Amino acid sequence: MLDLIWGFIVLISVIWVIYDVLTQNNKLSTVMKVVWIAVALIFGILGAIAYYFLGREK
């Protein structure tokens, strides 16, 4: 059961990064958008945390 909850949290965080990169963060180049999406897909919640602190426009 805990694995299911953790998997859901990771899925939501990856979806959030993809949504934010594609719709909200217009200052990023296309290459950086692809990089951030790949980081989120590969590293899951750690990638989402990194994007939140390093990649989002303030």
Side-chain angles (χ1 to χ4, degrees):
M1 182 68 179
L2 189 59
D3 290 338
L4 181 66
I5 294 169
W6 182 250
F8 185 70
I9 291 170
V10 171
L11 178 65
I12 294 299
S13 68
V14 169
I15 290 171
W16 170 76
V17 170
I18 293 170
Y19 172 79
D20 196 71
V21 164
L22 295 178
T23 62
Q24 306 296 320
N25 207 341
N26 296 326
K27 292 183 180 180
L28 287 178
S29 68
T30 304
V31 172
M32 286 307 296
K33 287 181 180 184
V34 171
V35 167
W36 278 116
I37 290 171
V39 166
L41 289 171
I42 293 169
F43 295 107
I45 199 155
L46 294 176
I49 292 169
Y51 172 73
Y52 182 79
F53 287 111
L54 302 174
R56 290 186 77 208
E57 60 184 36
K58 306 291 186 229

